[in-house]
Amino acid sequence: MKIQYPSSLYYSLSLLLLSATILISPSLGALGKCNPSDYKALMSIKNSLNNTSILDSWAHNTDSCNNWIGVRCDDKTNRVNDLFLFIGELSGQIPSSVGDLPYLISLAFRHYKNITGPIPQSITKLKHLVMLDLSDMSLSGPIPHFLDQLTTLNSLDLSDNQFSGSIPPNLSTLKNIGILHLSGNKLTGSIPESFGKFTGTIRDLTLSRNKLTGSIPKSLGAMDFGEIDLSRNKLVGDASMLFHPNSSTWHIDLSRNQFEFDLTKVKFPKDLNWLDISRNKIFGGIPEEIIGLEQLYKLKLGYNRLCGKIPTGGIMQRFKSTSFYHNKCLE
């Protein structure tokens, strides 16, 4: 026998069923603007990490585009564009599910010393990624060669981790790269010859605080770096090719290596702001032209083999005697 419900009861049941569906389904009203597949990826990221109290805002069935800390979405497409995590405590490994946010432009995990392991290869699925910052953590293993697949990348920061092995030469094929920070790791070997032939216009190269050896490629002299930092390695030989009077270089740090070249013959970039070549084997004298560097506010020439008179006048009054300590015969 078929039961016939009064029309009013049928209407009430229908409303109850619709309300339950909205509460259960992450693709309906509870998620607001959030794209369901992005929501699923973000929840997977949260579940893969430990100590996620900082992700309390990443609550089940809530709108990630409007309410979740560290998440930003495109106003028109409602796809996740930016994921920035750098406060509180997180531990574990970078989840492979970061590759399931296909419209990411910026991705940052920073200052989490309890995040370990490698960079997941799934990151190569992020075909729109412009900025990747995985600095100040405990990532280890070699810097993966597959990073060259991130062809839209402009900024790559892997500094202050535990990466080891050699620097992948194919990083120079990143045609849009402008900033490359690999400092504070355990990288060994030489600076790749290809780093003097970057496809793009790289402005900031930082390789300091590693265990790099050998001489630097002469081809680096063809690059117009804004900032170059090779300090605290075991590099040897001539580095004078990094100085060009017509370049736009403002920051040069070659300190704590074993470079040997004649400083007398160096022509300084006119906009040089920071110069640290201390603790090397640099010889010759200090060129008088240094007086004309009006932007120079950091100067460290100590612990070298320099001789001759220290130029006076002009900007030289900015610098204390400590800038010149422990040279062979400076006056």
Side-chain angles (χ1 to χ4, degrees):
M1 178 179 177
K2 186 176 181 180
I3 300 175
Q4 298 290 331
Y5 291 106
S7 58
S8 59
L9 178 61
Y10 182 82
Y11 179 72
S12 299
L13 288 172
S14 298
L15 286 177
L16 181 63
L17 179 61
L18 178 60
S19 299
T21 302
I22 291 175
L23 290 172
I24 294 172
S25 173
S27 62
L28 294 173
L31 298 189
K33 295 181 178 181
C34 181
N35 179 276
S37 62
D38 288 356
Y39 167 85
K40 181 179 179 181
L42 290 168
M43 289 303 293
S44 178
I45 291 170
K46 178 180 180 179
N47 293 335
S48 298
L49 297 169
N50 301 314
N51 303 325
T52 54
S53 60
I54 67 163
L55 301 182
D56 284 346
S57 65
W58 293 28
H60 186 62
N61 286 345
T62 58
D63 186 354
S64 64
C65 284
N66 289 319
N67 303 313
W68 289 16
I69 188 170
V71 178
R72 280 185 254 172
C73 300
D74 183 271
D75 291 336
K76 295 180 179 179
T77 66
N78 300 320
R79 304 304 300 259
V80 175
N81 283 168
D82 305 305
L83 179 58
F84 292 98
L85 296 175
F86 52 87
I87 59 174
E89 296 291 335
L90 291 176
S91 62
Q93 297 190 357
I94 297 175
S96 60
S97 45
V98 296
D100 296 327
L101 295 169
Y103 290 91
L104 271 185
I105 295 174
S106 303
L107 173 62
F109 283 81
R110 301 179 61 194
H111 309 313
Y112 297 121
K113 288 300 186 182
N114 291 321
I115 288 187
T116 61
I119 299 175
Q121 187 161 2
S122 63
I123 208 168
T124 59
K125 295 192 290 183
L126 304 178
K127 301 303 182 183
H128 302 282
L129 199 64
V130 173
M131 189 277 285
L132 177 60
D133 186 345
L134 304 178
S135 62
D136 194 24
M137 300 198 290
S138 296
L139 302 180
S140 59
I143 293 176
H145 283 70
F146 57 65
L147 292 179
D148 71 336
Q149 297 179 39
L150 299 173
T151 57
T152 57
L153 208 59
N154 175 266
S155 176
L156 174 61
D157 191 346
L158 304 180
S159 59
D160 297 302
N161 279 285
Q162 302 291 321
F163 290 114
S164 58
S166 58
I167 299 173
N170 64 357
L171 291 179
S172 65
T173 65
L174 291 168
K175 62 183 180 179
N176 294 302
I177 198 71
I179 299 171
L180 179 58
H181 289 182
L182 304 179
S183 61
N185 283 287
K186 299 178 179 179
L187 299 172
T188 56
S190 58
I191 299 173
E193 180 70 31
S194 62
F195 273 31
K197 303 172 183 176
F198 274 91
T199 305
T201 305
I202 187 166
R203 299 291 302 138
D204 186 347
L205 178 64
T206 304
L207 306 178
S208 63
R209 294 179 291 117
N210 280 290
K211 300 178 180 180
L212 300 175
T213 55
S215 57
I216 64 177
K218 291 183 179 179
S219 57
L220 282 185
M223 304 299 297
D224 186 11
F225 296 106
E227 177 176 353
I228 183 164
D229 188 348
L230 307 180
S231 63
R232 296 176 183 265
N233 281 289
K234 299 178 180 180
L235 298 166
V236 301
D238 189 1
S240 62
M241 78 286 289
L242 299 176
F243 296 83
H244 299 288
N246 297 320
S247 73
S248 56
T249 305
W250 65 272
H251 182 118
I252 298 177
D253 193 340
L254 308 178
S255 62
R256 296 178 183 268
N257 282 285
Q258 299 176 43
F259 289 123
E260 295 183 64
F261 58 88
D262 187 350
L263 188 63
T264 309
K265 299 179 180 180
V266 163
K267 301 297 181 182
F268 297 111
K270 62 181 183 302
D271 294 325
L272 195 61
N273 177 279
W274 178 297
L275 177 62
D276 189 349
I277 57 173
S278 61
R279 297 181 184 272
N280 281 284
K281 300 178 180 180
I282 299 168
F283 55 91
I286 303 174
E288 287 286 337
E289 289 79 5
I290 199 169
I291 298 173
L293 300 179
E294 297 180 357
Q295 305 301 319
L296 190 63
Y297 284 91
K298 176 76 169 184
L299 178 65
K300 297 186 73 173
L301 307 179
Y303 295 88
N304 279 293
R305 299 174 179 177
L306 299 173
C307 280
K309 291 186 177 182
I310 300 174
T312 57
I315 66 162
M316 299 307 289
Q317 62 187 351
R318 299 173 184 168
F319 309 114
K320 299 179 179 179
S321 58
T322 52
S323 294
F324 312 100
Y325 272 176
H326 296 281
N327 272 285
K328 186 178 180 180
C329 50
L330 280 178
E331 301 175 11

